[in-house]
Amino acid sequence: MKRNFVDHTMYSTSGLLRTIELILGLKPMSQYDAAATPMWRCFNKQADLSGFTALEPGVDINQKNVAINRNSKRSSQFNLTRPDEIDDLIFSEIVWQTVRGESSVMPAPRRGAFVRAEKAA
């Protein structure tokens, strides 16, 4: 990474993925990361192996949220040991209410699809 450098380029998650693909010599996985801006400006041509001084965290990184409420009880019932075992809408609602307030209503999800229209034969 470049030190003492601020890059104002707007990168997306796809740009980060594209950067990783380029570093590892992998082909793009989709059209989105293929077209994304790689994060080249963030790196030097040569590695800077000089030391640095780490900052102490400003918050207790071991502190846990121990609140007991309706959503904490709901989430304690989830099986998080396997991917995609829980209902994504319920999980999203819990995350939404944790951020926006327990009585807030989560908006309906928006689904999208790519459809190619062809003339009927």
Side-chain angles (χ1 to χ4, degrees):
M1 300 294 288
K2 285 186 182 178
R3 296 188 188 188
N4 302 314
F5 171 75
V6 177
D7 184 2
H8 295 282
T9 306
M10 201 298 287
Y11 296 110
S12 64
T13 306
S14 296
L16 175 62
L17 179 61
R18 183 66 182 136
T19 304
I20 294 169
E21 291 166 346
L22 290 168
I23 290 170
L24 298 176
L26 302 172
K27 293 180 181 177
M29 293 191 293
S30 73
Q31 64 186 4
Y32 301 108
D33 48 303
T37 304
M39 301 173 71
W40 291 126
R41 295 185 68 214
C42 298
F43 299 97
N44 289 324
K45 293 186 188 290
Q46 297 294 323
D48 182 355
L49 302 177
S50 62
F52 63 94
T53 303
L55 300 174
E56 291 294 323
V59 295
D60 180 4
I61 60 174
N62 295 312
Q63 182 180 5
K64 295 181 181 177
N65 181 356
V66 293
I68 303 295
N69 57 32
R70 183 175 65 92
N71 284 330
S72 69
K73 291 175 185 171
R74 288 169 69 191
S75 11
S76 69
Q77 303 300 313
F78 292 151
N79 178 10
L80 299 174
T81 60
R82 294 186 52 202
D84 302 325
E85 281 289 311
I86 61 175
D87 185 318
D88 63 331
L89 288 176
I90 294 172
F91 190 68
S92 295
E93 180 183 45
I94 290 171
V95 171
W96 176 272
Q97 291 178 348
T98 300
V99 173
R100 301 282 182 156
E102 198 168 349
S103 61
S104 64
V105 177
M106 182 182 80
R110 293 185 206 169
R111 310 269 188 219
F114 294 100
V115 178
R116 181 187 303 181
E118 295 183 13
K119 293 182 180 180

